[in-house]
Amino acid sequence: MSKVSNTEKSRVVATIPVGTGPFAVAVDVHGQVFVTSRGDNTVSVIKSSTNTVIATLNVGLRPESVATDPQFGVYVANSGNVTVTALDRFNTVVATLNVGPPGPPPNMLRVAIDHLMSRAYVTDRGRDRVSIIRTSAEPPFVTPDFVEVPGPLGAAVDPVDHRLYVTQPEFNTVSVIDPATNRVIGSMAVGQQPMGIAIAPQKRRVYVTNSGFTTVSVIDLATGGSIGVDVAAKPIGVAVDSHGNAYVTASDGTVKVIDALSIRVSDTFSVGSKPEGVAFEPLGNRVYVANRGDGTVSAIDLAAT
């Protein structure tokens, strides 16, 4: 009989049923967790203090990414009809924005927000571009400016210098976009088929999941150097906590923790089937994981012992 660690038994404090095929996760400053469900075109809103679903919102076709802004609401990227659904702070739909004609590639759109720049960036893998939404406008709108990037997917904004980092799975690279010029100003080589990306500003690091292998690239923004951390399974999504630790969803039904000090896997948490998106919720000191295979969200309590 295999031994189950105390960590795995105690850290998952709730398994929350949501829609069909939950995929992406984001949190807001009010302790709400937003989970997209590709199978039924909805977003579930979870109250983190009770780990219960308090609302189910209809959005566009095949929602595959979600990001929040502390002032301007929530943005959901719908890959099925190449739109972005904008929600206000009361979770009411205020706009449905077209960011391009529908195309055949799956997993095509991702969204990232820069609050101070009043921008939402939308990667469009099918059209080789990153669109820009003006979030402070009422209603928000897609600007005529866009950035040409071959095959962009994952996106993350550095809150220190406001640069946008974009993964390119077909090229095994991450491109860096300057917000002042809306141009690519550099690229960094990573592992095979990079997908997820997260920035730890306090450590000046970028974490990139290399879905074509079993590694996570950890890039030092100060030096430009990088190392690969083997997580022993196909890595998919990644999020960071307030200390710079990274949480990586993996194809073996676990979340791997990369310690900010040692830059090694320090723990493994068992979650649901086919975990995808992941987000850190600071008010409750928890990590939320969307389990695409069983229609649930796992809540991991980082303070549990």
Side-chain angles (χ1 to χ4, degrees):
M1 181 177 179
S2 61
K3 182 179 179 180
V4 178
S5 72
N6 288 333
T7 298
E8 292 184 358
K9 288 192 295 184
S10 63
R11 293 296 180 96
V12 176
V13 294
T15 300
I16 308 158
V18 287
T20 304
F23 198 77
V25 188
V27 303
D28 69 7
V29 295
H30 306 293
Q32 295 185 118
V33 183
F34 297 84
V35 183
T36 68
S37 293
R38 292 194 307 181
D40 52 17
N41 306 322
T42 61
V43 171
S44 298
V45 185
I46 297 170
K47 186 176 181 180
S48 64
S49 60
T50 60
N51 285 325
T52 56
V53 175
I54 59 173
T56 300
L57 313 172
N58 294 315
V59 289
L61 299 178
R62 206 167 72 235
E64 291 186 338
S65 184
V66 58
T68 66
D69 184 283
Q71 183 177 358
F72 303 120
V74 181
Y75 289 77
V76 181
N78 308 301
S79 293
N81 55 359
V82 196
T83 64
V84 172
T85 303
L87 311 171
D88 65 14
R89 290 175 295 170
F90 306 101
N91 300 334
T92 300
V93 175
V94 296
T96 299
L97 307 172
N98 292 307
V99 291
N107 307 331
M108 193 166 53
L109 301 186
R110 298 292 185 269
V111 60
I113 287 179
D114 186 335
H115 168 63
L116 293 180
M117 297 287 288
S118 299
R119 288 180 170 187
Y121 294 98
V122 184
T123 61
D124 188 335
R125 192 175 178 185
R127 292 200 301 160
D128 297 327
R129 67 167 56 179
V130 178
S131 298
I132 301 170
I133 296 172
R134 179 59 60 189
T135 57
S136 57
E138 295 184 4
F141 64 89
V142 181
T143 73
D145 301 321
F146 62 87
V147 187
E148 294 183 350
V149 183
L153 187 60
V157 173
D158 184 349
V160 176
D161 60 19
H162 303 282
R163 290 175 175 174
L164 177 69
Y165 291 78
V166 177
T167 63
Q168 298 166 275
E170 285 78 21
F171 302 94
N172 301 332
T173 58
V174 171
S175 282
V176 186
I177 297 171
D178 179 11
T181 62
N182 292 332
R183 294 182 181 273
V184 175
I185 58 173
S187 65
M188 300 175 288
V190 289
Q192 298 176 23
Q193 299 176 20
M195 290 181 60
I197 184 168
I199 294 175
Q202 60 278 86
K203 295 295 183 180
R204 304 306 297 141
R205 288 182 191 148
V206 180
Y207 293 90
V208 180
T209 61
N210 302 309
S211 66
F213 195 49
T214 62
T215 62
V216 174
S217 293
V218 184
I219 303 168
D220 188 324
L221 289 175
T223 66
S226 68
I227 62 172
V229 178
D230 194 337
V231 295
K234 174 183 173 181
I236 304 164
V238 59
V240 295
D241 66 15
S242 53
H243 301 288
N245 303 307
Y247 300 84
V248 179
T249 56
S251 58
D252 60 356
T254 66
V255 171
K256 315 290 185 179
V257 184
I258 299 178
D259 180 71
L261 296 178
S262 66
I263 318 182
R264 295 181 179 179
V265 174
S266 61
D267 221 332
T268 298
F269 306 141
S270 293
V271 288
S273 173
K274 299 180 180 179
E276 293 273 355
V278 56
F280 170 66
E281 200 286 294
L283 295 180
N285 196 26
R286 291 174 178 165
V287 170
Y288 287 84
V289 180
N291 303 307
R292 177 169 57 88
D294 58 23
T296 65
V297 171
S298 296
I300 301 170
D301 187 352
L302 300 181
T305 58

